[in-house]
Amino acid sequence: MRIQKNKILFYILIFGFLIRLIFILFGADQYFNRENIYVDGDTKAWSTAFENLVEHGEYTVNPDSEYGYFGRMPGYSMFMGSIWLVTGKNWELSFMICGWLQTILDTISIYFIFLIGNALINKKTGLTTAFLYALYPFIIVWNPVAYSESPAIFFLLASLALLTNKRTAITYLLSGILIGMAALNRPQILIFVPFAGLFILMAHSDRFFKSIKPILFFSLGFLLMLGPWTARNIINHEKPIITQDLRGFPNWNTDVISFMQYIYSVKAEWSPQFEQILQNKTVELPDRAYTSRKDSILLKRTLELCKTCGSGFSHWNGYWKEPIKKENCNDEISKNFDYLRTQQIETNPFSYYIKIPLQNLKKAIFKSSLQYDAKSGSKLASILFLYRSFLILLALAGSFILIREKRETAFIPLSWMFLYIALCFGTGVQFRNIEMRYFLPADILMLIPAAHVIHIILNRLKRTPAHE
């Protein structure tokens, strides 16, 4: 659908770009509470990996660690690294260009999500979805930051726009390539790949064998992107890593990873226990952490080891003494926490599999404030999070309506819920560590069923006669 033939869509695109422009120029510094809006804590992980590739021939975030080769998936490093080469290897300029380029890409994403909503439901829903996306604050705030969120969303929406609008071999191949590029930027995108496959199957539900060719082309495109990364990890490093491994970062060594895995078997967040370790204070845990006398003694000993000889902890800001760079007791800490986690799951299975994940889900849906208290932005942030929660509830209703209507297109609008379930209930290393930006791909796709509900409500209001 040509934009110039749809004035409403054109105005939405212009409006979305202006909102993003105004945020970068006048609001980003106050939202992030810092002068440099283009760089955040993880930015240099991607830049370091690419720089090591160019300068030393190895893609790694940390040449001194066997896990440094897998610290970041290569999608975003290649994106920002290409800009770095063009700018004459000037990272500061590259980060700024990334922010502005991401803003342009995100404006184009407004068009992509219109195409998806239009194809899956109808034109009015597509326009409403585009308007919701144009105003959606939690994608807007990440546009200027040299992080992989915006490009990942761009490639995901581009993939789904092709998948839902064109049904040719080449578009299925390109759709697979684009969603593979999205996954190389953000690993949680992998959750959406099976749903895209289900959509293809349902789109050809009249003849099952007719769906084999589209599935093969889509899968080929996806494997062309993700396959080389996985093959490199297996062939060059003998590690079957599909996504990433954080242990290559000094502050995410095995001691911190094992503590995180353990604490998420006891409670839904690692604060204040994590900060108590860093500050060499008494670590206060819930009663259920103490499963037996023997294990309680081991737990207390392990927490003391974290404070004094855990090298990963020592590389976090706020650690009570100098970073540990040589001898450490990370292996002992990791072994102890792995054992204690197993005991915790066996002793309190309901808490581990149901209660704590539900607390994660509640936190993910009903978050009400930023981690920091920006003096002028805390109230605004609370309002924005309330708006997000409202949209999630609308999307839940819309998703169930789509199930009831038995639409063959329902798989893509429903897929957002499964990212929430995976991150909140999952048991792997990358799960249960709740940050709102991790849910961003799901938050974007939820706008489609939310827009569907909005139109149902508006249509019913139009049919209701006005009372005199």
Side-chain angles (χ1 to χ4, degrees), residues 81-321:
S82 300
I83 299 171
W84 178 64
L85 292 176
V86 171
T87 60
K89 300 184 178 180
N90 184 331
W91 277 122
E92 292 304 315
L93 179 59
S94 300
F95 297 149
M96 183 177 68
I97 292 175
C98 281
W100 284 101
L101 182 56
Q102 286 166 187
T103 301
I104 295 171
L105 293 178
D106 194 51
T107 303
I108 299 172
S109 292
I110 300 172
Y111 178 60
F112 288 151
I113 205 166
F114 161 76
L115 291 176
I116 299 167
N118 177 60
L120 295 181
I121 304 177
N122 55 48
K123 180 179 176 181
K124 288 184 177 180
T125 298
L127 289 171
T128 304
T129 306
F131 181 72
L132 291 175
Y133 185 91
L135 274 176
Y136 193 64
F138 299 101
I139 184 65
I140 293 172
V141 298
W142 287 110
N143 284 172
V145 183
Y147 267 22
S148 62
E149 269 66 30
S150 292
I153 295 297
F154 173 81
F155 291 124
L156 173 64
L157 294 180
S159 171
L160 297 181
L162 273 177
L163 192 66
T164 55
N165 283 273
K166 300 287 185 180
R167 296 182 180 180
T168 65
I170 188 65
T171 54
Y172 286 124
L173 178 68
L174 287 174
S175 179
I177 289 172
L178 287 166
I179 204 168
M181 292 171 68
L184 286 174
N185 277 270
R186 269 293 160 196
Q188 63 264 45
I189 300 291
L190 290 171
I191 289 174
F192 299 106
V193 176
F195 290 95
L198 287 171
F199 173 83
I200 295 172
L201 287 174
M202 291 302 295
H204 299 85
S205 59
D206 53 335
R207 292 180 60 186
F208 174 76
F209 289 103
K210 194 177 178 181
S211 67
I212 294 178
K213 183 178 177 181
I215 287 287
L216 287 176
F217 274 90
F218 177 80
S219 301
L220 175 62
F222 174 71
L223 291 174
L224 283 173
M225 288 294 101
L226 203 69
W229 168 249
T230 306
R232 170 260 198 186
N233 297 339
I234 295 172
I235 296 170
N236 292 359
H237 305 286
E238 299 182 348
K239 294 186 185 296
I241 296 174
I242 298 174
T243 56
Q244 61 188 31
D245 193 317
L246 298 179
R247 286 176 289 180
F249 295 100
N251 62 321
W252 282 106
N253 214 314
T254 53
D255 55 332
V256 175
I257 293 287
S258 61
F259 167 78
M260 181 179 70
Q261 285 286 93
Y262 167 74
I263 203 69
Y264 288 152
S265 72
V266 177
K267 56 197 294 285
E269 62 284 317
W270 72 356
S271 294
Q273 288 76 24
F274 182 72
E275 290 78 13
Q276 289 167 346
I277 289 173
L278 297 186
Q279 297 166 14
N280 196 26
K281 295 180 179 178
T282 301
V283 180
E284 300 171 352
L285 286 163
D287 291 341
R288 60 177 171 272
Y290 304 100
T291 54
S292 69
R293 179 176 176 81
K294 175 186 173 183
D295 290 348
S296 297
I297 294 171
L298 179 63
L299 174 58
K300 291 180 179 180
R301 167 176 164 72
T302 306
L303 291 171
E304 288 303 313
L305 292 176
C306 293
K307 299 176 187 178
T308 57
C309 58
S311 72
F313 289 100
S314 75
H315 280 86
W316 285 80
N317 290 333
Y319 185 64
W320 67 285
K321 59 179 183 176

Side-chain angles (χ1 to χ4, degrees), residues 286-355:
D287 291 341
R288 60 177 171 272
Y290 304 100
T291 54
S292 69
R293 179 176 176 81
K294 175 186 173 183
D295 290 348
S296 297
I297 294 171
L298 179 63
L299 174 58
K300 291 180 179 180
R301 167 176 164 72
T302 306
L303 291 171
E304 288 303 313
L305 292 176
C306 293
K307 299 176 187 178
T308 57
C309 58
S311 72
F313 289 100
S314 75
H315 280 86
W316 285 80
N317 290 333
Y319 185 64
W320 67 285
K321 59 179 183 176
E322 292 298 313
I324 299 169
K325 297 182 179 180
K326 293 185 178 181
E327 294 184 4
N328 60 65
C329 52
N330 294 350
D331 290 342
E332 183 178 357
I333 291 171
S334 180
K335 179 182 176 182
N336 291 351
F337 275 134
D338 288 347
Y339 166 78
L340 292 167
R341 179 175 180 267
T342 300
Q343 294 299 106
Q344 184 64 219
I345 295 171
E346 290 179 357
T347 305
N348 300 302
F350 179 80
S351 176
Y352 179 75
Y353 290 109
I354 304 296
K355 186 176 179 180

